[in-house]
Amino acid sequence: MTTVEQTSSVRPARRAAVTNPGHGDIFTDHMFSMLWSPAEGWHQPEFGQLQNLSIHPGMIGLHYGQVAFEGLKAHRRADGSMVVFRPREHARRFQTSTSRLAMPELPTDIFMSAVNQLVAADQEWLSDHPAHSLYLRPLMFATDESLMLRPSENYRFLLMAFVAGGFFGDRVDTVSVLISRDYCRAIPGGTGNVKVAGNYAPSFVAQRQAQEAGCHQVVWLDAIERRWVEEMGGMNLFFVRSTGTGNEVVTPQLTGSLLPGVTRDALLTMAERLGYRTREERISVEQWRQECAEGTISEVFACGTAAVVTPVGTVRDPAGGDWTVGDGLPGPVTMTLRRTLMDLHHGLARDTEGWLHPVPTEQ
Ligand SMILES: *Cc1c(COP(=O)(O)O)cnc(C)c1O
């Protein structure tokens, strides 16, 4: 194991990162790497400086997409300590994702040890700015040098990190969404329920259409009936219904083509604790539009590790016009859930569910 000394050249970048981190471009200094082979299993753990890799042009992962990843965050608590949000759940989902692509599973203890090492080594990058965090990116890919159409025999696991600001900037504004009528993201029996690289490139043309239509994000419908709302391709969706007897927090049920978000799961529990009724059920586009018109659906928000909780203000549907959710501004239930989740991340609320993993650091 090697730990590389800080060089003075990284310090200005680190300071710049703290004021304006953006989302994905400012990497921290280190990475963890480990290899898998049929004979040795997981072996050769290395911790060192983030650096370029040398790969063969015929590497299987590059050609046939045997690549899976995760995304989780480390936060700085008010007392200065660092915590990672639900890392074991992310380790488990990573195992599900890699298995789906006929890749080996990374044991949870290796995942946890890599996370601990990286966050401890790069702790200077994690400021106490409430909107900032370290986004950790586990990645596994197939390394065999072969263009035979077959699963690789050898793999590499990497863990790297970047400094994250708000995904949509540091202010909480509502975002606008475009319902994709030309493309679909996931099919039953496909890979929509796992975090594999091949799910994301096909969504870029739809994301471009959204931007051309003046929207921030795409909403995906189910592939069979093109009617049921699924998710946003990097975020899950929630709907807030006002009923005579209080607020109901509703999210599309996991049908096998939605990604089971760790944030989605956490918010279902947190909503219950806050006294909202929760439901996982199918919701159609027509229902979404109609219930917004009637005022039954008063708020909609997106959630995910990157997006945290982000209110949705307007919807464009090329097949049925545009509509506004509530008054188009962030709603009270959305903002309560957002605040509750962020307070938990930053140690301002009690971790009743045991979701925060404290990162050990040597004094
Ligand atoms: C990562 C991701 C999410 C959000 O999952 P979290 O575990 O909450 O970060 C939602 N949808 C897709 C397609 C994703 O890749």
Side-chain angles (χ1 to χ4, degrees), residues 76-128:
R76 180 78 73 182
R77 284 195 290 201
D79 66 2
S81 65
M82 296 180 297
V83 288
V84 179
F85 190 65
R86 306 188 74 181
R88 287 181 179 81
E89 279 73 14
H90 287 279
R92 211 167 299 136
R93 189 171 66 191
F94 192 46
Q95 290 157 359
T96 309
S97 299
T98 57
S99 299
R100 177 66 181 81
L101 298 188
M103 301 162 84
E105 291 186 356
L106 184 79
T108 301
D109 59 340
I110 298 178
F111 186 101
M112 294 298 295
S113 152
V115 164
N116 285 339
Q117 284 180 69
L118 186 62
V119 176
D122 286 341
Q123 57 182 296
E124 278 182 60
W125 289 90
L126 182 52
S127 79
D128 56 5

Side-chain angles (χ1 to χ4, degrees), residues 69-71 90 93 135 185 192 194-195 199-200 231-236 258-264 303-306:
F69 64 92
E70 260 307 318
H90 287 279
R93 189 171 66 191
Y135 180 101
R185 191 191 84 90
V194 288
K195 245 176 153 69
N199 286 347
Y200 301 87
E231 58 157 309
M232 282 170 49
M235 301 156 211
N236 292 111
L258 278 77
L259 198 282
V262 175
T263 317
R264 173 190 181 279
C303 71
T305 298

